[in-house]
Amino acid sequence: MKILEAQSAVLTNVEVYTFLSDQEKQYEKENRKGPANLETLRKEVLQYFETPPGPLSQKPLPYDSAAIPVLFKRLRPYQISKGEFIMMFNIRPTSIPVLNTVIEDMEERFSEEKQQEILSIITEVLGQFPEEEENGQGDEAA
């Protein structure tokens, strides 16, 4: 394998998750295995992504990589930086305090109303966490 252009793009977690899942399915279909370190890395990364409360732990996934341009277009009027956008997509904030960790100088840049609008857009495009996971009651029912 040859690297043509180092760090030419930044990938979101869902793009990495999709790639690794597809690669795993392809390897199974072809009845082949990759190098042991690749198999271990793939397994551990997929396990990390699927561990609650991560945004990719929901089954089925509430969004896919097609949501990236939709979210980007909807957030464009707010002048969100590329880094902030990637973090929003990866973390999927559901509250103002979490959003504050993603957006630099949020309180100076956005009024409380604008902050709530940004959260609403994220929820509309990427979906909401189920109530039981949000409250930490998912394991209590068992």
Side-chain angles (χ1 to χ4, degrees):
M1 179 187 303
K2 183 177 179 183
I3 297 174
L4 300 177
E5 201 173 322
Q7 297 182 0
S8 64
V10 177
L11 298 175
T12 63
N13 288 353
V14 74
E15 290 171 311
V16 173
Y17 180 82
T18 302
F19 173 77
L20 292 175
S21 296
D22 291 347
Q23 185 184 51
E24 182 179 43
K25 289 174 189 169
Q26 179 184 357
Y27 277 27
E28 286 175 5
K29 181 180 169 185
E30 296 172 357
N31 202 18
R32 78 176 229 221
K33 283 195 168 275
N37 57 352
L38 172 64
E39 297 295 327
T40 302
L41 178 69
R42 182 187 313 116
K43 178 184 163 204
E44 289 178 3
V45 170
L46 289 174
Q47 184 178 5
Y48 169 76
F49 283 146
E50 293 171 348
T51 303
L56 300 176
S57 64
Q58 278 182 261
K59 298 296 178 215
L61 291 177
Y63 60 92
D64 59 13
S65 57
I68 296 171
V70 174
L71 184 63
F72 188 76
K73 182 179 180 182
R74 298 270 314 269
L75 291 176
R76 183 169 288 162
Y78 298 95
Q79 297 179 337
I80 303 292
S81 74
K82 184 178 180 179
E84 291 168 339
F85 174 79
I86 296 289
M87 288 191 300
M88 270 187 230
F89 199 86
N90 286 344
I91 296 172
R92 196 168 80 170
T94 57
S95 66
I96 298 292
V98 176
L99 186 63
N100 193 19
T101 65
V102 174
I103 298 178
E104 189 174 335
D105 300 325
M106 184 176 81
E107 292 173 349
E108 289 90 38
R109 289 170 58 191
F110 304 108
S111 66
E112 285 185 31
E113 181 180 298
K114 294 285 185 190
Q115 293 172 26
Q116 196 57 50
E117 287 175 16
I118 292 170
L119 272 180
S120 296
I121 291 169
I122 292 168
T123 302
E124 286 173 31
V125 176
L126 302 181
Q128 182 73 29
F129 282 106
E131 255 336 282
E132 64 258 7
E133 283 184 24
E134 208 171 84
N135 294 332
Q137 298 172 352
D139 294 332
E140 291 176 14

